[in-house]
Amino acid sequence: AEAVLAGGGRVLCVYNYKGISKKERKGFSNEDIREALEKSFPDARVALMDREHPDLDPSATILLTTNYFLENIFNPFKPLPFGLVADLSTDFPLRQPHFRATERAAISALEWRGVAHASKAKFLVQTDVPDLGFLGEIEGFARHRRTGKCLQGQRRDELLRVARHHHLHLGAG
């Protein structure tokens, strides 16, 4: 995020906790995450956009949102310019007692990967379960534009080392 912001780009952070209890969310609300982002990136303008805060702030450099953005704002034919799309709650659907929990988590991650792709942005996934099978599939979608070769495996050790240091898992980019 620092590199994107330093280059004048915008960051879209996604935090969906619909159907997840406060205990399972580890006590974080969208407001808590917005405050943490403001402390971590004091020079950035952080805005929250969800059902309770439906207005898009065009001056925001970090936009924290939920599925509200995907369902009501996102237009794949005229995507908003982002340099990074970060899914901060990739594994939350796994905490739901439903036989399709893994499928729902994968679909959600792929939807946000689609937002990143439309915006020509990097895609970052944060998870407590880095061994999820579908994360490899998402990573496999990242292909080198000139050669068509999959980037999976290239610099992967370095990227995972950095991601683990920050407790994040890189999905694709």
Side-chain angles (χ1 to χ4, degrees):
E2 291 173 356
V4 171
L5 293 171
R10 296 172 70 193
V11 177
L12 178 67
C13 292
V14 182
Y15 188 71
N16 288 309
Y17 56 83
K18 186 176 180 180
I20 305 299
S21 71
K22 264 192 174 182
K23 182 180 177 184
E24 291 173 312
R25 281 187 262 157
K26 300 179 182 172
F28 294 113
S29 69
N30 287 346
E31 293 287 343
D32 295 331
I33 293 174
R34 184 185 69 181
E35 289 174 14
L37 287 170
E38 288 171 341
K39 288 178 185 172
S40 297
F41 303 99
D43 295 332
R45 176 145 169 75
V46 181
L48 175 59
M49 183 167 148
D50 57 16
R51 269 186 186 64
E52 291 80 34
H53 309 88
D55 297 324
L56 177 63
D57 182 352
S59 66
T61 51
I62 299 177
L63 180 61
L64 177 62
T65 191
T66 62
N67 273 354
Y68 179 86
F69 177 85
L70 193 61
E71 296 165 356
N72 298 289
I73 305 298
F74 177 66
N75 179 348
F77 301 106
K78 292 172 102 177
L80 295 173
F82 292 106
L84 174 68
V85 175
D87 186 352
L88 305 178
S89 55
T90 303
D91 52 8
F92 276 9
L94 299 175
R95 297 179 181 150
Q96 295 176 341
H98 195 276
F99 72 99
R100 288 198 169 150
T102 303
E103 179 183 354
R104 289 178 177 174
I107 289 170
S108 177
L110 287 171
E111 287 174 338
W112 290 109
R113 175 64 180 108
V115 171
H117 178 75
S119 300
K120 295 183 173 82
K122 292 184 179 185
F123 181 56
L124 185 74
V125 172
Q126 176 177 279
T127 180
D128 291 331
V129 190
D131 296 330
L132 286 173
F134 67 80
L135 290 177
E137 295 298 319
I138 293 170
E139 184 178 17
F141 289 144
R143 298 194 179 276
H144 191 278
R145 293 190 177 160
R146 292 186 189 158
T147 64
K149 290 183 180 176
C150 182
L151 291 178
Q152 191 171 7
Q154 295 179 8
R155 295 185 16 198
R156 179 172 168 75
D157 293 338
E158 179 184 340
L159 293 171
L160 289 178
R161 180 183 52 77
V162 171
R164 284 190 186 115
H165 174 72
H166 294 287
H167 304 289
L168 299 172
H169 182 85
L170 185 66

